[in-house]
Amino acid sequence: MTYNRMKPGERRACADMAARAFADYEYFSIYVPDDKRRAYCLRAMLNTSFNAYKHSAVFLTAKRDGKIAAVAQLMPPHTPEPTVSQYLWAGFWKALLWGGYRNMAAWYDMNCRAEKPCMELPGEAWFLSVLTVEPELEGKGIGSKMLKECVIPYVKMQGGESLCLFTNSEINRRFYTKNGFEEFHAQEFLYQGRSVGSWSYRVGLQNE
């Protein structure tokens, strides 16, 4: 495995890979139930995020045999949230077309509330907004290796005191617990009769 900062020419391919990995993730599926529309919506959403944060976030890649196997999006402490116009300019209007304005507005509200516990952590807390592995390579330990060999060392090198995230998946809860993270907040969101849990995790890095 080799690790690098994402190159500008890799941004779209990485966003599309993340969209494939999140295809059945409840964080998205309860807001856009139709599989086909959700696939297009996810591509638009991930490309929007990667473009809107291209100058403020840190994007890291893991490559296996020269091919991108995993990608991480890291937010340094106090990273500013893009404005609505910046999101739209970056391509979020495409997500509105595929997901529907009402659904996307509800998703955005959920996302803001889900990440709030992490944003309120004291000190130099870095936020891991995306960590995803190419679907064909899942289950091979690539996510854990990237965390331990790339993401955490990078954050420590930048003076980070902790690394935090939220997840809506039971599988991911087990993954982050296995990798030394501790749950510090839990909540639930309801939308059109369906619910999704949201759990916030953190790991201290000062004594790592």
Side-chain angles (χ1 to χ4, degrees), residues 52-53 55-57 75-83 86-87 115 119:
Y53 284 101
H55 298 304
S56 55
M75 305 294 193
H78 318 300
T79 300
E81 177 77 12
T83 65
Q86 287 174 324
Y87 268 126
E115 69 181 18
M119 299 300 107

Side-chain angles (χ1 to χ4, degrees), residues 3 27 36 44 78 83 90 94 102-103 111 125 152 184 187:
Y3 307 105
Y27 172 70
K36 184 176 180 180
H78 318 300
T83 65
K94 296 178 183 179
R102 181 183 177 186
N103 293 336
N111 184 72
I152 288 176
F184 69 92
Q187 54 189 321

